[in-house]
Structure formats: structure tokens, C-alpha cells
Amino acid sequence: EDQVTQSPEALRLQEGESSSLNCSYTVSGLRGLFWYRQDPGKGPEFLFTLYSAGEEKEKERLKATLTKKESFLHITAPKPEDSATYLCAAMDSSYKLIFGSGTRLLVRP
Amino acid sequence: DGGITQSPKYLFRKEGQNVTLSCEQNLNHDAMYWYRQDPGQGLRLIYYSQIVNDFQKGDIAEGYSVSREKKESFPLTVTSAQKNPTAFYLCASSPPRGVTEAFFGQGTRLTVV
């Protein structure tokens, strides 16, 4: 069965303390791996798409990487405004998106 | 501005009632989706539509119904058969078949009272 697992469930960081979020996937015929940011009570906001192992993408303090089994979202020197839930989703061979349960990130000043 | 509009933002339903959640997009996307989000869980697919007048069940379609009479609109009805309808509902759209991101609306929070 196709599955996406995110860890940790919750992460508390001090402002400036870098860390990584993990997204492990078992999906047949992976077409792409997506990262979204979701603020409380809002819809997810698209961050990155990764298509193949070894690919990396960056945006401000965020960097996403992809291997054959997992993806990482690295957060460098985070700020309080980076606090949100980060969702990853894998697209399978039928173009269906399978979401993980998310990592709730809290960055304290 | 192009985007996806969901309404209402908050909705209260009495047990035994049907309610309809609205989703409109002006992105000219062919594909539209409905997801349900519960606390601590990922998004689960309810229904999706790749083209007007056609739609398919997702993973948790029981107790829900949809229609796709226009490209811009994909309303979701939560029927009285849905045993636990209290949740956050998200509508999304994307271009037709391709490895492209889905764009989401701001969600409707449905509460059964």
C-alpha cells in the first residue's frame, strides 16, 4: 500500500537553530514529491516539487532534497514566521497525491 | 487575481441535514479535488474530477456527493449518511494530467451541532 510518513510530528526550535524535517514514502511509480506549508485555519501553500532522486530546490531559508526513499526539508536559521505545519505529498503513477500527516514546527524568538 | 474560492469559511450543521460546500476556481484548471483534514492527520481524498461532467470517488467518498456541471465549479454535498462530518474541508485544482502542484482554497470548517 502506498504510504507517506512524516517525522517528527512536532518540532520546537529556537530562532536561528537549524534542523530538518523528514518525509519517507513507499509509492509505486513516484512521479513527484511535493512540499506544502499550512498555517492554522488556512489551505496549504505550495513550496516545492522534486521529480527525481538527487534533486534539490531552495527558497529563502528552506531547502528540499529527494532520495529514492525519502525527502528532507532543511530549515536554516529559522525565524518565528516560519512556524507552521509542513506537509509533504507523493504523486503516484495514476497522478494521485498521497499526503503525510505533517510536521508542526514552532520557532521561538 | 486567479485562485480558488471556498465558501462559507465556517458552517454549522444539525444532525440529519445535508449541507453543500462551494468551490469555485478561475485558474482554467481541468482537474478539481476535495480533501478532508482531521486534527493530526494528513489530507484524505474524497472525490476528484478530471473533466466536466465526470468525477471519481477517492479514498473516503461514503456519505459525500459531488457534481461538475461547469469547469469552474465543484460543489461538495455532505449528506446525513456521513457519520462523522465535523472536519476541515479543502478544495484544490490543478492542470490536467501532469506532475504539477495542486492549488488549494482556504478551506471550510464544518461543525455538526
Side-chain angles (χ1 to χ4, degrees):
Chain A
E1 182 184 344
D2 292 342
Q3 195 169 358
V4 175
T5 303
Q6 291 188 247
S7 62
E9 290 187 10
L11 181 63
R12 289 187 175 188
L13 298 174
Q14 205 65 34
E15 184 172 2
E17 179 187 1
S18 301
S19 188
S20 296
L21 283 56
N22 177 265
C23 172
S24 299
Y25 62 90
T26 52
V27 171
S28 57
L30 180 78
R31 293 190 179 274
L33 191 292
F34 299 80
W35 282 97
Y36 286 86
R37 169 191 171 129
Q38 186 177 25
D39 292 302
K42 301 280 184 69
E45 175 188 342
F46 170 74
L47 293 173
F48 303 108
T49 307
L50 301 166
Y51 296 97
S52 57
E55 189 175 2
E56 299 182 352
K57 288 195 176 172
E58 287 188 67
K59 179 181 180 180
E60 296 181 355
R61 295 176 293 281
L62 301 177
K63 179 181 175 180
T65 62
L66 181 65
T67 72
K68 288 187 177 180
K69 294 183 178 180
E70 56 194 351
S71 178
F72 293 93
L73 185 65
H74 307 278
I75 302 177
T76 302
K79 297 182 178 181
E81 53 262 41
D82 294 322
S83 297
T85 295
Y86 291 86
L87 300 168
C88 78
M91 181 177 281
D92 68 11
S93 57
S94 65
Y95 298 96
K96 177 182 172 183
L97 277 177
I98 302 160
F99 280 86
S101 57
T103 293
R104 296 189 310 279
L105 174 65
L106 176 64
V107 181
R108 294 173 291 185
Chain B
D1 280 325
I4 301 175
T5 302
Q6 290 188 242
S7 62
K9 187 172 175 65
Y10 299 97
L11 187 57
F12 297 89
R13 188 197 95 170
K14 293 182 179 179
E15 286 194 22
Q17 283 184 335
N18 293 353
V19 289
T20 297
L21 283 58
S22 170
C23 178
E24 304 277 333
Q25 55 100 358
N26 59 5
L27 299 167
N28 200 33
H29 286 167
D30 287 294
M32 296 188 74
Y33 311 83
W34 274 106
Y35 291 90
R36 170 180 172 141
Q37 188 175 32
D38 293 284
Q41 295 192 36
L43 278 65
R44 292 183 289 168
L45 183 63
I46 305 173
Y47 268 97
Y48 63 103
S49 168
Q50 299 281 358
I51 196 169
V52 174
N53 292 323
D54 188 45
F55 48 82
Q56 286 78 41
K57 293 182 179 180
D59 300 317
I60 56 166
E62 185 176 350
Y64 300 98
S65 66
V66 293
S67 63
R68 187 83 188 277
E69 296 177 1
K70 298 187 300 181
K71 186 176 183 177
E72 302 79 19
S73 178
F74 192 40
L76 174 74
T77 297
V78 184
T79 74
S80 56
Q82 169 50 234
K83 301 267 186 261
N84 184 21
T86 295
F88 190 50
Y89 291 87
L90 288 160
C91 178
S93 72
S94 69
R97 292 193 170 262
V99 190
T100 59
E101 65 272 20
F103 294 85
F104 285 85
Q106 291 302 295
T108 293
R109 184 165 300 280
L110 173 63
T111 304
V112 174
V113 296

